[in-house]
Amino acid sequence: MIIIEKPYVSEFLIDSIVQNDWVVLENEALEIAGIEEGAFETINSDVAKDYYNQVECPIIYSNSENSINWVLENLPDSNLSRYIKLFKDKFIFRNMLKDVFPDFYFKALEYDHLSKIALEELKYPLVLKPAIGFLSLGVHTIHNDEDWKTTLNQLEHEMELAQKFYPEAVVNTSKFIIEEYIQGEEYAVDAYYDKNGNPVILNIFHHPFFNSKDVSDRIYVMSTDIMIKYMAKFAMLLKEIGDKNNIKNFPLHIELRVTEDERIIPIEVNPMRFAGWCTTDVSKYAWGINVYECFMKQQAPDWNEVLSKASNKMYYFSMAEVPSAIERDKIVGFEYDNWLANYSNVLEVRRINPKHHPLFAVIFGSTDNKDEINRILQLKTKDYTIFNV
């Protein structure tokens, strides 16, 4: 079963549903997405609940964490709800891994208590973020007392935006987590646990940053070198997490960092989906695979064959984000052509309405030039935004 939800559903996902005759949960998001009536079979909540409770190995995928509300309300005692609660709350997730990373510093605080914490209690550098969050909303890397004070001044506006764009189950503005800053390179993995609890990796992205304070989602890069170097290592970590919690039939997107001494430390897990905003679709360009079919059919890619045939280029998805400080009611346009001129080989562009979402666009592309990746990281969307004067 597929659950389609806001904020975005790709044509590639819709085509995959139609071609494979997958059933889709009836909900309001189907109407908002403008999907043609009768394009695929839909089922109501009662039938969906019966499916989950009566099938031996129920398989549910969603394009968005907005679907979490339906699961928690309709399948409250299910394994699916248990997995979601374990991963979605970063504090619960950190506690679960405490025996694996006993020296890792983290602390949960109510939003109202952030301004009351004594500065001498803070251990810099640190990361502050919502305990339940999405994208980079409310996420800050903090190096000193001045950074801390500046961040607290920004948070109120950012959390107002979060409440506007996402339900509480996706971004909760009442509870935050403070944790130590992990030095190292950041990666993200699209994967699922099969019916036997074995992790199946579908994609590995390198998530570079412009500098140590950058927490943006500007670009995620894929390559054969990355897959070869880290697939086995990341699979071992996923296996350890899965075995600790008896996880089966479950898709996820996990973010982690690899330190200089090659320690792999998880950052967070996004449940029920692969890379958000259907950016996981970039796999069709890089590897020629359909990740939705892999999960729904419980098929693992033959990576030896896939990588032997893959290009040596780097593939990526890139996000043109709306800066949180911009007043959206003053936005009248975006210089898409000028922005895209910074990309050497654009494979696909998905334009997003910035007045209703935190993005101007998602771009899929490829390159064999690392300097291009660095240039994209330094772009400022404000320079390409057209305002009502």
Side-chain angles (χ1 to χ4, degrees):
M1 182 181 77
I2 304 288
I3 305 177
I4 289 176
E5 265 293 357
K6 297 181 288 184
Y8 181 85
V9 55
S10 68
E11 291 184 9
F12 183 65
L13 174 55
I14 298 301
D15 289 344
S16 298
I17 293 170
V18 173
Q19 292 168 11
N20 289 281
D21 293 324
W22 295 329
V23 296
V24 179
L25 178 69
E26 289 178 2
N27 60 17
E28 183 181 347
L30 292 181
E31 299 177 16
I32 296 173
I35 298 168
E36 182 180 351
E37 186 175 353
F40 40 68
E41 181 185 355
T42 59
I43 57 175
N44 62 34
S45 287
D46 289 336
V47 175
K49 286 187 286 186
D50 287 342
Y51 159 75
Y52 187 88
N53 291 321
Q54 295 175 11
V55 174
E56 183 179 357
C57 298
I59 297 175
I60 297 179
Y61 180 84
S62 180
N63 64 303
S64 167
E65 290 170 54
N66 287 28
S67 61
I68 286 174
N69 277 335
W70 183 88
V71 176
L72 297 182
E73 290 174 6
N74 291 275
L75 302 169
D77 301 319
S78 66
N79 281 330
L80 187 56
S81 287
R82 181 171 66 84
Y83 303 154
I84 288 171
K85 292 173 184 176
L86 169 68
F87 290 129
K88 189 57 185 171
D89 190 311
K90 296 175 179 64
F91 184 69
I92 294 174
F93 179 60
R94 282 281 174 231
N95 268 327
M96 183 268 293
L97 291 173
K98 201 168 184 178
D99 60 331
V100 182
F101 303 97
D103 300 324
F104 189 86
Y105 168 75
F106 65 97
K107 181 175 184 173
L109 285 171
E110 298 296 319
Y111 173 71
D112 294 339
H113 292 168
L114 291 176
S115 59
K116 300 174 185 176
I117 189 171
L119 295 179
E120 55 267 23
E121 291 184 35
L122 301 174
K123 301 178 182 180
Y124 303 118
L126 60 81
V127 176
L128 173 69
K129 54 190 174 183
I132 298 176
F134 180 58
L135 287 177
S136 297
L137 290 168
V139 179
H140 292 268
T141 301
I142 300 169
H143 292 267
N144 51 50
D145 290 349
E146 193 61 35
D147 282 353
W148 177 260
K149 294 172 185 176
T150 301
T151 297
L152 294 189
N153 289 333
Q154 296 174 355
L155 269 183
E156 183 175 359
H157 175 62
E158 293 175 359
M159 292 302 94
E160 287 176 357
L161 288 177
Q163 290 175 319
K164 177 181 178 181
F165 293 137
Y166 301 104
E168 189 172 300
V170 178
V171 181
N172 188 319
T173 61
S174 65
K175 189 170 78 171
F176 279 71
I177 184 170
I178 297 170
E179 62 183 35
E180 68 178 78
Y181 177 78
I182 307 166
Q183 301 283 352
E185 292 297 312
E186 185 163 310
Y187 294 87
V189 182
D190 286 343
Y192 72 87
Y193 291 95
D194 66 16
K195 63 181 181 180
N196 298 314
N198 296 313
V200 177
I201 289 180
L202 301 174
N203 225 331
I204 299 175
F205 306 94
H206 179 216
H207 184 191
F209 297 99
F210 175 55
N211 57 36
S212 63
K213 289 189 176 182
D214 183 14
V215 294
S216 72
D217 295 299
R218 173 59 57 79
I219 194 164
Y220 287 75
V221 183
M222 320 148 66
S223 72
T224 55
D225 288 345
I226 291 170
M227 296 296 288
I228 292 169
K229 184 175 182 179
Y230 288 114
M231 191 180 308
K233 294 178 181 179
F234 292 168
M236 287 177 63
L237 175 64
L238 285 169
K239 179 65 173 172
E240 184 173 17
I241 293 173
D243 288 348
K244 279 174 66 69
N245 300 281
N246 194 28
I247 301 171
K248 298 177 181 179
N249 289 341
F250 190 68
L252 54 81
H253 177 80
I254 182 170
E255 298 174 6
L256 41 83
R257 285 211 171 184
V258 179
T259 65
E260 286 188 1
D261 59 356
E262 290 296 305
R263 286 187 305 138
I264 301 170
I265 303 177
I267 299 173
E268 62 183 57
V269 176
N270 303 119
M272 284 194 69
R273 63 162 176 85
F274 303 135
W277 287 79
C278 291
T279 51
T280 190
D281 297 359
V282 70
S283 301
K284 69 180 179 180
Y285 296 111
W287 316 126
I289 66 172
N290 184 321
V291 296
Y292 307 116
E293 290 182 352
C294 288
F295 172 60
M296 296 296 290
K297 297 180 179 181
Q298 298 276 287
Q299 295 175 344
D302 183 343
W303 283 113
N304 288 331
E305 180 179 358
V306 170
L307 295 178
S308 69
K309 296 179 179 179
S311 166
N312 289 326
K313 288 186 176 183
M314 294 175 286
Y315 288 80
Y316 58 78
F317 70 82
S318 176
M319 293 184 167
E321 72 284 352
V322 181
S324 59
I326 285 182
E327 295 182 41
R328 280 171 166 74
D329 58 352
K330 294 183 178 180
I331 297 175
V332 295
F334 187 72
E335 297 175 355
Y336 284 97
D337 289 343
N338 290 338
W339 177 267
L340 294 173
N342 295 290
Y343 300 77
S344 64
N345 185 31
V346 175
L347 301 170
E348 184 178 343
V349 179
R350 297 173 175 178
R351 298 191 181 195
I352 311 294
N353 187 336
K355 294 195 174 183
H356 303 296
H357 302 291
L359 302 175
F360 289 108
V362 173
I363 301 99
F364 293 164
S366 68
T367 184
D368 54 12
N369 188 348
K370 290 184 178 180
D371 290 339
E372 178 177 331
I373 304 299
N374 293 328
R375 185 173 65 251
I376 292 171
L377 282 171
Q378 298 177 57
L379 295 175
K380 296 181 180 179
T381 48
K382 187 176 181 180
D383 296 340
Y384 298 80
T385 303
I386 305 169
F387 296 96
N388 183 14
V389 181

